[in-house]
Amino acid sequence: MTMERRETLGQMMRFGIVGVLAVAIHYGVYWMMLHWMEVNVAYTIGYIVSFLVNYFLSARFTFREKTSAKTGIGFCGAHVMNYFLQLALLNVFLWLGINRMLAPFAVLTIAVPTNFVLVRFVFKKL
């Protein structure tokens, strides 16, 4: 196995660890807020809280890079696209009749791999 391939696999594993934590934070905040507000607002608040934690962990732990304005802007751009993808998917899954407590998990099956590609580009190509 080449060194580059090994590093990519390591990044994917670390991305998974950070992702699980980010999803837990996102879902936890979503679940708490869902008791007091509309589903899209609750989802958005959870996303924002998770995003902040995710950026610092992605930079330092996943890709072992320093945080900077350049990566911060790139990360924001990747996550803006990811947020709209997730929100659209959430509403599609809700429309299809998936329970609002379970729909976020269906969303993540599509959004997480897409997000890895976008975030890796930010930290490794920009």
Side-chain angles (χ1 to χ4, degrees):
M1 181 181 303
T2 67
M3 189 66 150
E4 183 179 326
R5 184 162 170 82
R6 187 175 308 162
E7 178 59 23
T8 300
L9 288 174
Q11 289 169 0
M12 289 172 74
M13 288 176 54
R14 292 186 303 271
F15 184 84
I17 292 166
V18 170
V20 167
L21 180 60
V23 166
I25 291 167
H26 185 181
Y27 188 77
V29 172
Y30 167 76
W31 183 82
M32 285 187 300
M33 296 293 132
L34 198 55
H35 294 89
W36 297 290
M37 58 191 61
E38 193 267 329
V39 66
N40 289 310
V41 175
Y43 196 84
T44 300
I45 291 170
Y47 192 91
I48 291 168
V49 172
S50 173
F51 168 83
L52 295 171
V53 172
N54 194 351
Y55 172 65
F56 289 102
L57 290 177
S58 291
R60 297 295 184 152
F61 178 68
T62 302
F63 298 105
R64 298 184 174 147
E65 301 284 335
K66 293 182 178 181
T67 56
S68 69
K70 185 177 178 182
T71 60
I73 291 168
F75 194 82
C76 283
H79 275 270
V80 164
M81 291 189 302
N82 189 44
Y83 168 76
F84 285 114
L85 171 65
Q86 285 190 32
L87 203 57
L89 289 170
L90 176 67
N91 284 284
V92 166
F93 290 133
L94 290 172
W95 179 77
L96 290 172
I98 295 177
N99 181 288
R100 68 185 189 159
M101 298 303 285
L102 300 176
F105 296 108
V107 168
L108 295 173
T109 63
I110 297 168
V112 169
T114 303
N115 195 39
F116 176 76
V117 172
L118 293 172
V119 171
R120 186 171 193 276
F121 177 80
V122 167
F123 282 105
K124 294 299 179 184
K125 304 292 184 196
L126 285 184

